[in-house]
């Protein structure tokens, strides 16, 4: 199943997005405009792990 990497707030997928939170076991992606609004609390270890996994997936499946 392909991953939906569009921004959760504006649904744009043509701009770079990053994982900013994890909700119900799913990564939450956000564009630069909505990162602060959707971000998990600073230091959330689960988000850090999700970001590393996302980077690895992008290297394998660009």
């Amino acid at each position: 199943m392909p991953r939906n990497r569009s921004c959760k707030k504006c649904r744009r997928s043509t701009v770079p997005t990053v994982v900013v939170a994890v909700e119900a076991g799913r990564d939450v992606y956000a564009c630069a405009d909505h990162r602060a609004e959707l971000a998990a609390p600073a230091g959330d270890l689960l988000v850090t792990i999700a970001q590393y996994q996302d980077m690895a997936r992008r290297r394998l499946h660009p």
Side-chain angles (χ1 to χ4, degrees):
M1 175 172 74
R3 207 165 268 284
N4 182 3
R5 288 190 173 114
S6 61
C7 177
K8 181 179 179 182
K9 182 87 173 182
C10 65
R11 302 289 185 216
R12 288 188 296 178
S13 60
T14 58
V15 297
T17 57
V18 295
V19 177
V20 295
V22 177
E23 292 178 351
R26 295 188 166 266
D27 297 345
V28 175
Y29 290 85
C31 64
D33 295 337
H34 299 112
R35 282 182 193 154
E37 184 179 343
L38 298 172
D44 187 336
L45 186 58
L46 193 56
V47 173
T48 303
I49 293 168
Q51 289 172 340
Y52 283 128
Q53 288 175 334
D54 184 55
M55 286 189 292
R57 279 191 299 268
R58 288 180 193 237
R59 285 190 183 126
L60 292 174
H61 307 284

